[in-house]
Amino acid sequence: MDAPDSPGSLGSPGSPDTPDTPDTDGMLAEQLLRLTRRLHRIQSRQLEPIDITPAQFRLLRTVASYDAAPRMADLARRLDVVPRAVTTLVDALEASGRVRRAPDPDSRRVVRVEITDEGRATLRSLRSARRAAAEEILAPLTADQREVLGGLLSALVDGMPERRC
């Protein structure tokens, strides 16, 4: 065991745990968190006139991505949320006429979620709002920097282990 003053021990000058040593990974994580919050605020502001939340937008996009109407459980799994969260989002989207619940032809116990024409029209509006939000957040970057950032973000996303609930 290292003595308290030996190199590499906790609290020694130059060790990662010293208050005056920069924590690069911690700073990167903080910057990513701040950027995520900022993007969320900008996106919320862009979505407000369309009267939809970012979570509802995400669910609507997900429903539209399926070839056939998905089950509620499929949506929960794809979104990595609990089924109750999907129910709440579907309730709101159904009340606004953007999705509808439909019985499964093979099982009376299964409910499927279908996107409506109103939902498709909303998605078209939302895509332009999303582009505007992205442009606002990426404005300080050159085209080359955006390309590099895209590659780095892909490496982070693709390198993440699959979460299991």
Side-chain angles (χ1 to χ4, degrees):
M1 181 170 179
D2 288 330
D5 295 334
S6 67
S9 68
L10 269 173
S12 66
S15 77
D17 298 325
T18 307
D20 60 346
T21 302
D23 175 11
T24 306
D25 288 346
M27 289 187 321
L28 283 173
E30 179 62 27
Q31 287 175 307
L32 285 170
L33 187 59
R34 288 177 51 210
L35 183 61
T36 301
R37 288 180 183 141
R38 182 171 172 221
L39 183 58
H40 187 77
R41 280 192 310 274
I42 291 169
Q43 186 177 21
S44 293
R45 189 177 68 238
Q46 296 284 345
L47 298 178
E48 191 174 341
I50 302 168
D51 194 31
I52 193 168
T53 68
Q56 291 169 352
F57 176 32
R58 185 171 176 230
L59 180 78
L60 193 60
R61 277 194 345 254
T62 302
V63 170
S65 73
Y66 281 88
D67 292 332
R71 298 174 309 144
M72 302 276 272
D74 297 331
L75 293 168
R77 200 169 17 266
R78 173 84 61 95
L79 295 170
D80 197 21
V81 298
V82 296
R84 178 69 189 126
V86 170
T87 301
T88 301
L89 292 171
V90 169
D91 287 346
L93 288 171
E94 190 174 38
S96 68
R98 293 175 172 135
V99 299
R100 71 176 149 261
R101 287 177 168 88
D104 185 291
D106 300 324
S107 173
R108 293 183 318 169
R109 295 181 300 161
V110 175
V111 174
R112 296 201 173 260
V113 180
E114 298 175 339
I115 190 166
T116 63
D117 290 340
E118 177 67 25
R120 285 185 193 86
T122 299
L123 274 179
R124 285 190 294 277
S125 297
L126 292 170
R127 285 187 183 108
S128 64
R130 190 173 187 206
R131 275 193 298 276
E135 181 56 41
E136 184 175 338
I137 201 114
L138 297 173
L141 302 180
T142 66
D144 288 343
Q145 289 172 324
R146 289 177 188 204
E147 189 174 329
V148 169
L149 177 62
L152 293 170
L153 291 173
S154 291
L156 289 173
V157 170
D158 295 344
M160 292 177 66
E162 198 63 32
R163 274 185 58 196
R164 299 282 180 233
C165 294

